Amino acid sequence: SHFPLRLKSVPSCPTHSVCTGPAAAAQPAMVSRLPLQTLRLRRASLSFRRPAEFLPRWQLVPGGANFIRAGASSSASTSSSSNSSSQEQPFEPKVKGFDIIKGQPIFDKYVDLKFKPEDYERFPGERLSFRDDPRLQVSSLTVPEGPAELDWNEMFNATVSVLRIVDRVTAVFGEIIHERLDDKDLMARFGIFPLEGKTLEKPLHNTGAVPREGAYYKMLHQVYWIALHVWLVHAKQYIIQENEALFGSAVCALITRRAFEWFWIVIRLWLMTEDVPAMNVTSELEHFMEFVFGLCAALDEAWKKEAPQGTAHALELKDEDLQEGQVGLIPCVKHVLWSNVYFGAVPHDSPELHELTVYLVRQRMYMEMLPRSCFFAAKFSWADFPQPQRQYD
């Protein structure tokens, strides 16, 4: 995994930004004695109310890690989950080196994927159900052809972009990623529905406007949807960067950095569109960043653990071919999506979860097969996603 983050469990308290409802407004007589930053966090929680079942339970701390847990489907299960997690020992990663440039240790992994006994009982059936899906066959993908090396014009564009004279490389990546948000029919197949009905054009005195009911849940789903494609771009550049010299490595780093910077700007604009107060936009953006980096780190760990030789090879493995500690790529990815994108609140046999798992694995396999020059020049589009041959109940 490539995100140096520490996901640390934080207890619920009436002055923390994750608290909403009566707990956030408790003890009003003490408000005047709270520091200014605490008052801002409390104001943010009241202005952009989050459903109790989707409250975050993680705090980002640079340079470490802790374990990631699934979201709960109700406030009662949230309470029981927090009680059970407090009894478990936190995940402590092993240090395998030190990054002199970043000035921080390098860990063997940043998240620990935890499974329950009932998960292990379900995994063999999941491996079997996904194995015969024709959409996960390499022959079903149409990958653009191209040389490994860039032509002189593409090399010039990459050079001036790396030297920060003018960026002629990364802008197209934002357009390619944002194109997925325009395909509402595709998003509906995964149970993801974008926020609509508001624009950035606001009246001069817009003091009475507030976010709509349920806006936080829909926006988080929307953020996760785009985050999957930003992660796919990041994963491709990381695969290329492992075998690149200085110039190619610089281009890869530029693509990932600009993709995430573009993503943060998009989320900020969404928050402003939804009438989140201006003084709370940054804190809400940081909150969404927690979810995004947690998802990316979990997906990195899933592929590192289950598909070290590539997605296509991992999909061909049978049960007897799995190494010790492996559960199969499909069950692992499906569990990550269930825990993050769907907050652990949908059944494991949900059609939307099944389809999103196939979609993500198919796109990852497509990106791995994409030629180097096509990726650097952004001359690609996402792989198609046919309808399933069998219908779900």
Side-chain angles (χ1 to χ4, degrees):
S1 46
H2 330 300
F3 296 94
L5 303 172
R6 179 176 178 84
L7 301 178
K8 181 179 180 182
S9 179
V10 295
S12 177
C13 68
T15 59
H16 195 272
S17 61
V18 302
C19 300
T20 59
Q27 301 178 347
M30 298 180 59
V31 172
S32 60
R33 296 196 294 269
L34 295 175
L36 178 60
Q37 182 62 24
T38 302
L39 295 179
R40 288 176 177 172
L41 291 176
R42 175 172 293 182
R43 178 69 179 88
S45 66
L46 295 176
S47 63
F48 199 29
R49 193 170 299 276
R50 310 177 179 94
E53 59 266 32
F54 304 121
L55 294 182
R57 275 158 284 168
W58 310 109
Q59 176 186 8
L60 292 182
V61 181
N66 208 316
F67 48 83
I68 290 182
R69 287 207 164 275
S73 58
S74 65
S75 58
S77 59
T78 302
S79 176
S80 61
S81 175
S82 61
N83 292 336
S84 61
S85 63
S86 62
Q87 299 175 358
E88 297 185 17
Q89 294 296 326
F91 164 67
E92 293 296 338
K94 297 180 181 179
V95 178
K96 66 176 184 179
F98 190 84
D99 192 323
I100 300 178
I101 298 178
K102 296 181 179 179
Q104 64 184 23
I106 302 174
F107 297 92
D108 59 342
K109 57 181 177 180
Y110 296 95
V111 296
D112 192 23
L113 303 176
K114 292 183 175 293
F115 305 114
K116 298 179 180 179
E118 53 266 31
D119 295 328
Y120 289 103
E121 296 176 0
R122 189 182 64 255
F123 288 161
E126 291 183 348
R127 291 193 293 266
L128 183 62
S129 64
F130 282 87
R131 186 170 295 153
D132 298 330
D133 195 319
R135 296 173 296 178
L136 294 178
Q137 304 296 323
V138 175
S139 58
S140 67
L141 293 171
T142 302
V143 182
E145 297 180 357
E149 300 300 327
L150 301 173
D151 60 31
W152 70 268
N153 184 50
E154 295 167 347
M155 182 67 72
F156 174 79
N157 291 336
T159 302
V160 296
S161 299
V162 169
L163 296 177
R164 299 189 178 184
I165 299 174
V166 59
D167 192 348
R168 294 187 175 180
V169 171
T170 62
V172 184
F173 284 91
E175 298 176 2
I176 294 175
I177 296 171
H178 196 274
E179 179 267 333
R180 295 283 87 174
L181 195 63
D182 297 330
D183 196 340
K184 297 179 177 59
D185 293 335
L186 179 63
M187 295 174 62
R189 292 171 61 180
F190 312 128
I192 301 175
F193 302 96
L195 279 169
E196 296 178 320
K198 285 190 175 184
T199 66
L200 273 173
E201 297 180 1
K202 307 294 181 183
L204 181 61
H205 301 288
N206 197 34
T207 57
V210 294
R212 293 167 289 183
E213 186 71 24
Y216 182 83
Y217 168 75
K218 286 188 176 181
M219 186 175 295
L220 183 55
H221 246 180
Q222 187 171 285
V223 167
Y224 272 139
W225 171 244
I226 297 298
L228 292 175
H229 298 87
V230 175
W231 173 80
L232 285 168
V233 171
H234 158 75
K236 175 61 178 180
Q237 69 83 26
Y238 183 79
I239 294 173
I240 296 176
Q241 193 174 25
E242 285 188 313
N243 302 313
E244 286 291 324
L246 180 61
F247 176 76
S249 180
V251 176
C252 289
L254 177 68
I255 292 173
T256 283
R257 183 170 65 252
R258 290 289 185 264
F260 276 98
E261 288 175 352
W262 168 86
F263 191 23
W264 308 144
I265 294 174
V266 169
I267 298 177
R268 183 180 293 273
L269 293 177
W270 288 347
L271 291 169
M272 296 170 63
T273 301
E274 197 51 41
D275 294 314
V276 173
M279 67 178 185
N280 301 326
V281 168
T282 299
S283 62
E284 295 291 354
L285 172 60
E286 292 173 354
H287 171 74
F288 281 114
M289 293 167 83
E290 295 182 26
F291 283 106
V292 169
F293 280 126
L295 172 64
C296 292
L299 290 173
D300 278 344
E301 182 61 23
W303 253 271
K304 178 181 178 181
K305 178 181 178 181
E306 303 293 342
Q309 301 182 38
T311 303
H313 179 269
L315 293 176
E316 294 176 355
L317 295 178
K318 298 181 180 180
D319 292 0
E320 57 271 17
D321 299 327
L322 297 177
Q323 302 295 323
E324 182 179 358
Q326 290 185 329
V327 298
L329 178 62
I330 289 293
C332 192
V333 173
K334 183 180 177 182
H335 187 82
V336 171
L337 296 177
W338 175 82
S339 302
N340 292 271
V341 178
Y342 295 101
F343 318 107
V346 300
H348 287 283
D349 57 354
S350 166
E352 292 80 10
L353 174 59
H354 182 104
E355 286 295 279
L356 185 59
T357 304
V358 175
Y359 174 84
L360 181 62
V361 174
R362 178 180 173 86
Q363 297 296 340
R364 170 67 187 243
M365 185 163 52
Y366 169 83
M367 294 296 287
E368 290 176 357
M369 299 168 60
L370 191 67
R372 173 180 178 271
S373 61
C374 293
F375 177 73
F376 277 167
K379 294 180 179 179
F380 69 94
S381 59
W382 301 107
D384 63 336
F385 190 59
Q387 292 285 346
Q389 291 185 352
R390 67 181 181 88
Q391 298 296 322
Y392 300 99
D393 297 332

